[in-house]
Amino acid sequence: MTILVAPKPEAGSKPAQILEAAGRLFLENGYGAVSMDAVSKKANVSKATLYAHFGSKDELFRAMVACECASSTLEGIWDRAMAMPAADGLRLIGITFVTFVLSPKALAVHRVVLGEAHRFPELARAFYEAGPALMVARVSAYLEALNGRGELAIPDIDLATQQFFGLIKANLHMKLLLCLTERPSEATIQRFVDAAVDLFVRGYAPSAI
Amino acid sequence: MTILVAPKPEAGSKPAQILEAAGRLFLENGYGAVSMDAVSKKANVSKATLYAHFGSKDELFRAMVACECASSTLEGIWDRAMAMPAADGLRLIGITFVTFVLSPKALAVHRVVLGEAHRFPELARAFYEAGPALMVARVSAYLEALNGRGELAIPDIDLATQQFFGLIKANLHMKLLLCLTERPSEATIQRFVDAAVDLFVRGYAPSAI
DNA sequence: GTCTATAAATGGATAGAC
DNA sequence: GTCTATCCATTTATAGAC
């Protein structure tokens, strides 16, 4: 499996200019609707230069996705969450995750990778490994810890992790992927996360078994 | 708002041939990767004929999505669910919904609409209205009924509906949209739905308040 | 490495005969 | 309505000078 590395060339260099232009255009318009001409113009670079750095449109697309995936595992929150009571930790994780995943950039990456998943299956896989899979692993570990501390009683950690993500994304994610609604306010996100955590904690409370 | 009508021309006619070919190609390869040439060839029709029926590639794409949306609200299950105890009804709805939404066709439509949501925003909206929105409305009504019967105690029906869909789709939907895994077995679907319904019913049990 | 200019192919869309 | 043949713009990709 191809590992998705984010090369991130030094800022200001031609490759960086090109990748940034490609990012804006591809993420805004999708793979098919963007020409190499458009990229070269947006990057203030000739097409020959473009092809000197990226051998083809496919390659540029892949590189751009890899670059945009520069994985935000949202470091920092895990230790903080671990130090809190279960519900508070879950809320922290939920808010952080939802805020990230509903950001315009994350949505755009999702959209373009989903839209081209047929044609770039390895890219879809690499994207998943570089992003969602990491989050899943972190949350699984966290839930395991809550189990260990006796705060929750989860029989199937894997399944519960997926449920947690499903709960906090609810329909918001899909609606935003479809461009059906503006980005929700902080208050709305808070409401969804609170409700999700309530349900989750109530459902997996040790006493509930 | 444009209503998404599914004209479905009489089987065997040229328009039907064209729409079928367009469906296969667009759903398999995405909008950008399919040429009108390819569609005409697959449909065994000349390009002129194609353009006689569908004025442009955009129009053909729209028509094809409309046709594929020929809305499956999964009639029939609602009355049956209504006659069951809450958990059984939810399981029936869950299984039916997940089986439908994880079908190759539904996934392909999702993928292509998502991928082109930027360029065809009205199409994305029409798709949502013709499919997901109807399901949401049905489930909301069902949950309301459960509330009325005293089997559940749901404070915010709208939110709970979204939670229910999020729970049963969990990560499966996203993974399949990304072509990361084969279609899950009946048993797997059953497992996910059972777990979702358990959590949901436990969380919204009247006694739990 | 970078540019200008261009090759070679393919794309969407149409003209005109039947 | 349907076909064959074709137009013209655009696309990916490259050649050759600096």
Side-chain angles (χ1 to χ4, degrees):
Chain A
M1 183 211 334
T2 336
I3 292 288
L4 197 64
V5 186
K8 270 289 194 210
E10 57 200 308
S13 68
K14 298 274 176 184
Q17 283 176 46
I18 295 170
L19 278 176
E20 171 165 345
R24 289 192 192 221
L25 291 174
F26 280 134
L27 292 183
E28 177 103 7
N29 305 98
Y31 179 84
V34 173
S35 72
M36 294 297 260
D37 227 10
V39 175
S40 77
K41 267 183 193 129
K42 184 118 187 165
N44 286 320
V45 153
S46 79
K47 270 207 287 185
T49 302
L50 204 173
Y51 276 97
H53 290 280
F54 304 92
S56 69
K57 189 180 175 183
D58 277 24
E59 194 179 320
L60 176 60
F61 183 66
R62 279 176 232 273
M64 165 271 187
V65 172
C67 182
E68 296 296 345
C69 279
S71 57
S72 162
T73 28
L74 315 173
E75 299 301 338
I77 68 166
W78 307 102
D79 289 342
R80 284 171 56 209
M82 211 64 101
M84 297 172 172
D88 293 333
L90 286 171
R91 264 188 287 271
L92 172 62
I93 294 172
I95 293 272
T96 312
F97 173 75
V98 171
T99 303
F100 168 70
V101 95
L102 297 189
S103 70
K105 189 108 165 205
L107 286 171
V109 176
H110 255 89
R111 240 177 250 125
V112 79
V113 173
L114 280 177
E116 304 299 329
H118 270 130
R119 276 151 50 73
F120 298 91
E122 1 69 76
L123 190 64
R125 174 165 298 277
F127 163 75
Y128 187 78
E129 303 292 343
L134 292 180
M135 292 296 298
V136 167
R138 301 283 187 148
V139 169
S140 278
Y142 176 70
L143 292 181
E144 195 105 51
L146 292 184
N147 250 359
R149 275 154 47 179
E151 291 196 72
L152 293 182
I154 300 171
D156 186 334
I157 293 278
D158 243 41
L159 199 153
T161 302
Q162 298 194 42
Q163 288 181 324
F164 182 70
F165 282 112
L167 264 180
I168 57 180
K169 287 199 294 191
N171 247 9
L172 275 183
H173 194 215
M174 188 56 64
K175 270 176 143 168
L176 277 159
L177 281 177
L178 286 169
C179 304
L180 295 185
T181 173
E182 292 303 307
R183 195 178 179 184
S185 65
E186 288 296 320
T188 304
I189 292 180
Q190 186 89 44
R191 226 183 93 238
F192 271 77
V193 170
D194 283 354
V197 171
D198 281 357
L199 183 60
F200 193 82
V201 169
R202 236 181 294 141
Y204 283 124
S207 56
I209 304 286
Chain B
M1 180 211 337
T2 335
I3 292 290
L4 196 65
V5 186
K8 270 289 193 210
E10 56 200 309
S13 67
K14 299 275 176 185
Q17 282 177 46
I18 295 171
L19 278 175
E20 172 165 344
R24 288 191 192 223
L25 291 174
F26 280 134
L27 293 183
E28 178 104 3
N29 305 97
Y31 179 83
V34 173
S35 70
M36 293 297 260
D37 230 8
V39 175
S40 77
K41 265 182 197 131
K42 185 118 188 165
N44 287 317
V45 152
S46 79
K47 268 209 286 187
T49 302
L50 204 173
Y51 275 97
H53 290 278
F54 304 93
S56 70
K57 190 180 176 183
D58 277 25
E59 195 179 319
L60 176 61
F61 183 66
R62 279 177 233 273
M64 164 269 180
V65 172
C67 182
E68 296 296 346
C69 278
S71 58
S72 163
T73 28
L74 315 174
E75 299 302 338
I77 69 167
W78 306 103
D79 288 343
R80 284 172 55 209
M82 210 65 100
M84 297 173 173
D88 294 332
L90 287 171
R91 264 189 287 271
L92 171 61
I93 294 172
I95 294 272
T96 312
F97 172 75
V98 170
T99 303
F100 169 70
V101 95
L102 298 189
S103 70
K105 189 105 164 207
L107 286 170
V109 176
H110 255 90
R111 241 176 249 126
V112 79
V113 173
L114 279 177
E116 303 299 329
H118 270 130
R119 277 150 49 75
F120 298 91
E122 1 70 59
L123 189 64
R125 174 165 298 278
F127 163 75
Y128 187 78
E129 303 292 344
L134 291 180
M135 291 295 299
V136 167
R138 301 284 186 147
V139 169
S140 279
Y142 177 69
L143 293 182
E144 196 104 50
L146 292 184
N147 250 358
R149 275 153 49 178
E151 292 196 71
L152 294 182
I154 301 171
D156 185 335
I157 293 277
D158 244 40
L159 199 154
T161 302
Q162 297 194 43
Q163 289 181 324
F164 181 70
F165 283 111
L167 264 181
I168 56 180
K169 287 199 293 190
N171 248 9
L172 276 182
H173 194 215
M174 188 56 64
K175 272 176 142 168
L176 278 160
L177 281 177
L178 286 168
C179 304
L180 294 185
T181 175
E182 292 304 307
R183 195 176 179 186
S185 66
E186 289 295 321
T188 304
I189 292 180
Q190 187 90 42
R191 228 183 92 237
F192 270 77
V193 171
D194 283 353
V197 171
D198 281 357
L199 183 60
F200 194 82
V201 169
R202 236 181 294 141
Y204 283 123
S207 56
I209 305 288

